[in-house]
Amino acid sequence: MTEDLSAIDAYARETDATVVGADDEGIVLDRTVFYARGGGQPGDTGVLMWEDGSVAIADTVKRAGIVLHVPRGEPPAVGTVVRAVIDWDRRYQLMRTHTALHVLSAVIWRDFGAKVTGGSMEPCRARMDFELEGISVEFGKGVEERLNAALAEAHPVDVSFLPRSEALADPDLIRTKVSLIPEHVDPIRVVTIGTIDRQADGGTHVANTSEVGRVRVTGTESKGKDNKRMRIELDP
Ligand SMILES: [Zn+2]
């Protein structure tokens, strides 16, 4: 099992590690700072460096619970001690974008009672779908103001690990369908954003909503009945 440092410290940019497996699909390390694609957040890119070589990492994925660093080139041999370094600029943009999406979902729930039906993100650009009956450019502008006001309140973002039984009884987590998390997951990782959002989540977030910066709502569109899409962009 790989020690996943990104789950406890999103600001960890690099670590020493030992290669414990390597094949065509990817490199397995005993510990890593790379975030494996999941929960709508793309996998990290970066580089592995060792005494007499290096290889770029094009993506990080999870297969059967194992974190795979997808190499662009010849992987190091098993047993090699490497320095694992993520592309921090890209990751930090993803952290800001991920936190922005949680606050967006919280604002839409708080003010309009609509749940999230889907979403995806790239660095500084994302979309989220909501169980809304209607949507318009004006609605988008109003949400943009509410979203930026909530971010400017500088809410701390806290990561905790809750025993599964406790998580299943938490009203906020029930709303965000914590019961759908596979039964073997215990404890459950919970991301809490001040007083405004709390959900089971595996992603990497900034430590405070003030780090997100200003967010623009750049698109609103209907994807069908009770399914409306909102697009957002952050400053780079
Ligand atoms: Zn999330």
Side-chain angles (χ1 to χ4, degrees):
M1 216 39 191
T2 304
E3 187 188 349
D4 177 8
L5 298 172
S6 75
I8 49 171
D9 181 10
Y11 290 80
R13 306 175 186 202
E14 52 183 280
T15 184
D16 286 328
T18 301
V19 177
V20 295
D23 63 17
D24 295 346
E25 289 194 89
I27 300 161
V28 183
L29 303 174
D30 64 341
R31 80 170 64 89
T32 191
V33 288
F34 283 70
Y35 176 77
R37 191 196 306 164
Q41 183 178 331
D44 278 330
T45 57
V47 65
L48 303 185
M49 295 178 284
W50 58 97
E51 206 175 353
D52 53 0
S54 70
V55 67
I57 301 301
D59 196 2
T60 311
V61 298
K62 216 174 229 184
R63 214 151 290 153
I66 294 167
V67 177
L68 293 175
H69 306 76
V70 181
R72 192 183 285 143
E74 208 46 46
V78 170
T80 306
V81 174
V82 298
R83 190 86 188 145
V85 184
I86 56 170
D87 177 345
W88 172 251
D89 290 346
R90 177 177 178 276
R91 155 68 91 71
Y92 188 60
Q93 289 181 337
L94 286 166
M95 285 159 59
R96 290 168 54 225
T97 307
H98 199 154
T99 301
L101 281 179
H102 278 222
V103 176
L104 173 63
S105 72
V107 164
I108 297 273
W109 170 254
R110 181 194 67 191
D111 295 351
F112 306 100
K115 289 181 185 172
V116 172
T117 56
S120 76
M121 76 190 87
E122 308 164 41
C124 289
R125 186 189 292 261
R127 63 175 167 78
M128 194 163 249
D129 298 339
F130 297 95
E131 238 172 51
L132 285 163
E133 281 178 31
I135 201 162
S136 66
V137 173
E138 295 71 41
F139 180 84
K141 285 292 157 205
V143 168
E144 181 179 288
E145 287 318 306
R146 292 162 194 257
L147 171 57
N148 283 300
L151 290 168
E153 284 163 8
H155 294 277
V157 182
D158 174 67
V159 174
S160 56
F161 292 84
L162 231 60
R164 186 181 176 86
S165 56
E166 238 173 86
L168 288 174
D170 185 307
D172 289 327
L173 300 180
I174 290 168
R175 173 175 69 78
T176 51
K177 302 197 173 85
V178 68
S179 58
L180 298 183
I181 293 173
E183 243 173 78
H184 68 270
V185 180
D186 191 0
I188 287 176
R189 187 175 185 270
V190 175
V191 174
T192 305
I193 303 182
T195 53
I196 58 174
D197 190 58
R198 182 168 166 83
Q199 46 183 295
D201 192 79
T204 59
H205 291 262
V206 290
N208 191 289
T209 59
S210 61
E211 292 183 46
V212 172
R214 194 164 169 85
V215 179
R216 294 178 304 281
V217 172
T218 54
T220 48
E221 57 198 274
S222 176
K223 304 303 285 180
K225 188 181 184 301
D226 292 335
N227 195 24
K228 302 293 179 283
R229 177 164 295 178
M230 202 166 277
R231 294 179 187 279
I232 62 168
E233 280 184 27
L234 283 68
D235 292 330

